């Protein structure tokens, strides 16, 4: 009997100590406004348990509410009611992005595929790799890829041709092929089994990303034991088989690189990422496993984002005929009727670049970035508590009031005069900002400009962005209203 009473007493004391600690903490670091709909025990978790299109609409409400409340709100997610901050204030966003460099735990779900590559890695490992890889994404290297981007764009034109003059169609498959083809070739320099390898890799990557998203949404799958028990680990293992095929590609390239075999079959006129990394391998900067992690990371980072962006950009261009004609005039003036895009042209395609940027502002492919708050972070009006998580809404920042009264309008001209842009770094967030911003920004902008220039030169695009509907599958993907039609210009 005495033992039972003592047991209850201990539990009671623990509960009191826990609540006291929470009270002290909430007094020291009061919370910003809460997102409506907070329930006991599960917090806002019930809002996650839905399909990915409704999920996106709900997450957008978090972002809008954060903007409405001055840039910072909180919510609770998961069965342990983890504290989440949702940020849309530009100064606070930049401070957090530069202070808390560790990613949200969701990124960890992709580690079976990406390991500790740049997107998922953290700490010193990430920092060292970021320093080593920076040069591989510099302008001179990217300019060397123009041949790939032009070649893949021409291939894209030939796959689109079958749908020209035939009314509306959805160009997702063609665009994804363009994006993966480009990133595979700039990463590996070649695809041993050609189209077959690219298609298999594309399918496996799509499935891998779906699995990560499913695990995030179904909170019970966060538990490793349940995840394995329900057969998901087996699905991971099946997908990894495709990586084996690519592993052969890596070891072949390594052999020819170190044996300095430069015959017809291995000659590549540009510097694919694998060669740039192998140069650092010779000085023991990377291990074999790390090489593979970074190569897969580069492809995953480039593929979905570039494909999703190009799809949205085409719909935007198709929705604004006057903008499209202005682009066409610029493209014809710079490139003429049939020439490929070279590095000098890229500088001159100023309006085309503004159209790409404005499309990505209104229709971002990566609408938020997640970070773990590993220390107390003092913001303008609140202090974020160590041990919590945060979501920085780049989609909200790109519609922040500092863009002006025409914030919701598609107006590429705003990018032509930098003096009219908001005075914050974080409001231009399509490629994130701060120390962990996108390493492939120049790569992506170049690939997009080249593809858009080829398409607009050949076709008049028609689309309707007001009908666009998106779902959140790690990146934002349109599932409705993304059909376009193409009319040949001559
Ligand atoms: C339109 C296309 C792209 C968009 C919108 C985009 C956007 C982003 C964003 C928002 C982040 C930050 C993610 C986060 O912190 O959660 C990021 C990171 C990254 N991106 Fe991109 N990206 C694009 C294309 C590319 C390409 C083409 C590459 C490589 C060839 C690339 C490589 C990376 C890498 C390596 C990181 C991780 C950087 C780090 O944590 O140090 N991205 N990207």
């Amino acid at each position: 009997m005495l033992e039972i009473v003592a047991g209850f007493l201990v539990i009671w004391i623990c509960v009191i100590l826990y609540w006291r600690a929470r009270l002290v903490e909430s007094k020291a670091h009061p919370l910003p406004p809460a997102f409506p709909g907070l329930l006991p025990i599960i917090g806002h978790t019930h809002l996650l348990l839905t399909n990915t299109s409704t999920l996106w609409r709900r997450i957008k409400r978090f972002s809008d509410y954060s903007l409405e409340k001055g840039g910072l709100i909180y919510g609770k997610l998961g069965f342990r009611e983890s504290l989440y901050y949702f940020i849309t204030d530009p100064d606070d966003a930049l401070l957090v992005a530069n202070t808390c460099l560790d990613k949200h735990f969701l990124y960890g779900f992709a580690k079976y595929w990406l390991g500790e590559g740049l997107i998922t890695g953290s700490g010193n490992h990430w920092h060292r790799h970021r320093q080593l890889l920076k040069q591989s994404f510099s302008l001179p290297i990217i300019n060397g890829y123009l041949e790939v981007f032009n070649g893949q764009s021409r291939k894209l034109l030939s796959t689109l041709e079958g749908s020209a003059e035939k009314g509306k169609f959805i160009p997702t498959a063609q665009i994804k092929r363009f994006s993966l083809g480009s990133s595979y070739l700039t990463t590996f320099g070649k695809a041993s089994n050609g189209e077959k390898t690219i298609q298999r890799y594309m399918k496996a990557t799509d499935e891998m990303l779906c699995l990560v998203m499913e695990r995030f949404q179904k909170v019970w799958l966060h538990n490793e034991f349940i995840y394995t028990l329900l057969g998901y680990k087996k699905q991971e293992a099946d997908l990894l088989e495709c990586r084996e095929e690519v592993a052969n590609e890596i070891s072949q390239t390594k052999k020819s690189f170190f044996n300095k075999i430069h015959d017809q079959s291995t000659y590549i006129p540009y510097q694919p990422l694998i060669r740039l990394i192998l140069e650092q391998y010779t000085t023991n900067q990377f291990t074999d496993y790390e090489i593979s992690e970074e190569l897969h990371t580069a492809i995953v980072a480039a593929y979905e984002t570039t494909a999703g962006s190009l799809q949205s950009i085409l719909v935007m261009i198709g929705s604004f005929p006057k903008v499209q004609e202005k682009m066409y005039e610029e493209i014809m003036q710079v490139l003429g009727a049939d020439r490929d895009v070279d590095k000098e042209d890229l500088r001159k395609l100023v309006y085309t670049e503004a159209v790409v940027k404005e499309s990505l502002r209104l229709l971002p492919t990566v609408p938020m970035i997640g970070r773990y708050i590993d220390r107390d972070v003092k913001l303008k009006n609140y202090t974020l508590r160590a041990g919590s998580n945060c979501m920085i809404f780049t989609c909200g920042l790109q519609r922040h009031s500092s863009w002006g009264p025409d914030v919701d309008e598609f107006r590429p001209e705003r990018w032509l005069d930098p003096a009219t842009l908001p005075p914050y770094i974080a409001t231009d967030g399509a490629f994130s900002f701060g120390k962990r911003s996108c390493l492939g920004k120049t790569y992506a902008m170049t690939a997009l400009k080249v593809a858009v220039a080829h398409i607009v030169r050949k076709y008049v695009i028609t689309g309707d962005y007001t009908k666009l509907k998106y779902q959140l599958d790690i990146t934002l993907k349109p599932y409705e209203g993304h059909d376009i039609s193409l009319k040949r210009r001559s």
Side-chain angles (χ1 to χ4, degrees):
M1 181 65 185
L2 205 63
E3 279 163 6
I4 294 174
V5 173
F8 270 120
L9 210 63
V10 170
I11 292 173
W12 183 239
I13 289 170
C14 287
V15 169
I16 290 191
L17 286 177
Y18 174 73
W19 282 111
R20 242 183 82 91
R22 286 190 70 158
L23 204 68
V24 169
E25 191 174 38
S26 62
K27 274 195 184 146
H29 299 322
L31 289 171
F35 185 74
L38 191 66
L39 298 180
I41 302 173
I42 60 166
H44 294 101
T45 310
H46 55 104
L47 299 176
L48 294 184
L49 305 174
T50 179
N51 58 47
T52 52
S53 54
T54 311
L55 178 69
W56 167 236
R57 283 201 299 279
R58 289 183 181 165
I59 285 186
K60 196 161 171 314
R61 285 217 304 270
F62 274 84
S63 172
D64 291 344
Y65 195 69
S66 171
L67 282 171
E68 207 182 301
K69 292 289 168 188
L72 184 68
I73 58 169
Y74 86 92
K76 298 229 167 152
L77 295 173
F79 286 114
R80 276 179 292 155
E81 283 194 285
S82 300
L83 175 60
Y84 276 72
Y85 295 96
F86 300 102
I87 305 179
T88 51
D89 176 273
D91 289 326
D92 289 348
L94 184 62
L95 180 66
V96 174
N98 275 331
T99 311
C100 301
L101 298 178
D102 285 351
K103 295 284 183 82
H104 180 265
F105 72 88
L106 161 70
Y107 294 77
F109 296 159
K111 281 195 178 177
Y112 76 95
W113 190 274
L114 303 176
E116 293 288 329
L118 275 184
I119 290 187
T120 40
S122 57
N124 286 340
H125 182 95
W126 163 78
H127 187 257
R128 195 172 66 82
H129 280 209
R130 173 104 189 178
Q131 294 310 315
L132 288 170
L133 289 172
K134 233 170 23 192
Q135 269 314 99
S136 307
F137 292 91
S138 63
L139 188 61
I141 301 284
I142 307 297
N143 280 340
Y145 298 158
L146 275 168
E147 178 180 324
V148 174
F149 299 148
N150 277 305
Q152 293 298 307
S153 296
R154 287 196 184 269
K155 202 163 184 171
L156 172 61
L157 290 185
S158 69
T159 55
L160 290 174
E161 180 57 21
S163 306
E165 310 284 350
K166 289 190 183 150
K168 295 210 154 186
F169 72 105
I170 297 173
T172 309
Q174 294 92 320
I175 289 177
K176 281 172 77 167
R177 168 61 189 76
F178 159 78
S179 182
L180 194 81
S182 302
S183 54
Y184 202 96
L185 293 178
T186 55
T187 303
F188 293 112
K190 62 182 170 55
S192 294
N193 287 327
E195 196 56 33
K196 226 166 144 193
T197 310
I198 291 181
Q199 291 295 345
R200 266 175 58 83
Y201 195 88
M202 191 156 93
K203 188 165 171 284
T205 312
D206 285 345
E207 285 173 19
M208 183 274 289
L209 291 171
C210 280
L211 208 57
V212 173
M213 193 62 202
E214 188 176 349
R215 191 169 185 192
F216 172 61
Q217 270 189 287
K218 297 180 176 166
V219 283
W220 54 92
L221 296 180
H222 293 188
N223 180 291
E224 200 66 19
F225 177 71
I226 299 177
Y227 186 74
T228 310
L229 195 73
L230 294 180
Y232 286 92
K233 271 270 172 238
K234 167 86 178 61
Q235 279 188 45
E236 283 186 1
D238 292 346
L239 285 176
L240 283 173
E241 271 178 28
C242 178
R243 276 182 43 136
E244 289 308 308
E245 200 172 303
V246 175
N248 292 336
E249 195 107 87
I250 299 174
S251 71
Q252 271 177 29
T253 311
K254 222 156 105 186
K255 247 186 243 155
S256 63
F257 181 85
F258 289 114
N259 297 332
K260 303 211 177 326
I261 303 168
H262 296 306
D263 59 22
Q264 277 295 78
S265 65
T266 54
Y267 174 73
I268 297 159
Y270 54 90
Q271 290 281 17
L273 183 62
I274 186 166
R275 278 204 196 150
L276 297 165
I277 294 187
L278 283 173
E279 271 158 23
Q280 289 167 326
Y281 177 83
T282 51
T283 48
N284 293 328
Q285 309 270 30
F286 285 100
T287 63
D288 281 300
Y289 187 66
E290 286 172 352
I291 293 178
S292 152
E293 285 174 345
E294 293 302 355
L295 295 175
H296 289 293
T297 292
I299 295 191
V300 168
Y303 158 53
E304 285 269 348
T305 49
T306 310
S309 301
L310 184 54
Q311 188 139 14
S312 297
I313 293 165
L314 293 185
V315 176
M316 267 312 200
I317 296 173
S319 308
F320 294 89
K322 281 190 187 148
V323 168
Q324 188 170 176
E325 279 322 290
K326 206 166 156 183
M327 279 177 86
Y328 177 67
E329 276 166 29
E330 179 182 81
I331 292 163
M332 288 303 280
Q333 205 174 16
V334 175
L335 293 180
D338 195 50
R339 198 163 55 74
D340 272 350
V341 183
D342 68 24
K343 64 178 184 191
E344 286 308 312
D345 301 326
L346 282 173
R347 255 188 336 101
K348 295 180 196 155
L349 292 171
V350 179
Y351 190 69
T352 305
E353 179 168 312
V355 172
V356 170
K357 285 182 171 169
E358 183 69 344
S359 305
L360 295 183
R361 181 180 76 81
L362 289 174
L363 304 173
T365 314
V366 185
M368 59 193 175
I369 52 178
R371 293 287 167 87
Y372 175 66
I373 307 295
D374 59 344
R375 64 194 82 179
D376 286 352
V377 183
K378 193 167 168 10
L379 303 181
K380 264 191 292 209
N381 301 318
Y382 294 93
T383 297
L384 306 187
R385 298 178 188 174
S388 55
N389 288 287
C390 98
M391 290 289 169
I392 299 171
F393 287 122
T394 48
C395 57
L397 285 155
Q398 304 201 136
R399 290 183 186 239
H400 186 259
S401 55
S402 58
W403 285 95
D406 60 356
V407 60
D408 292 323
E409 280 172 35
F410 179 71
R411 205 173 62 76
E413 284 71 15
R414 73 175 83 241
W415 294 93
L416 302 178
D417 179 4
T420 63
L421 296 174
Y424 305 105
I425 292 172
T427 44
D428 179 11
F431 294 94
S432 184
F433 35 79
K435 294 179 185 162
R436 286 202 83 155
S437 64
C438 177
L439 206 54
K441 180 176 177 178
T442 310
Y443 177 118
M445 285 301 294
T446 308
L448 290 171
K449 276 165 70 178
V450 172
V452 164
H454 278 279
I455 298 170
V456 169
R457 180 169 60 183
K458 184 161 183 196
Y459 300 112
V460 176
I461 310 163
T462 311
D464 183 356
Y465 81 103
T466 61
K467 297 212 166 72
L468 273 172
K469 289 198 176 137
Y470 284 91
Q471 62 194 35
L472 187 68
D473 283 336
I474 308 287
T475 57
L476 268 190
K477 290 188 195 138
Y479 69 92
E480 216 180 288
H482 52 314
D483 43 353
I484 56 169
S485 60
L486 298 176
K487 196 166 158 295
R488 282 180 215 105
R489 284 195 181 264
S490 53

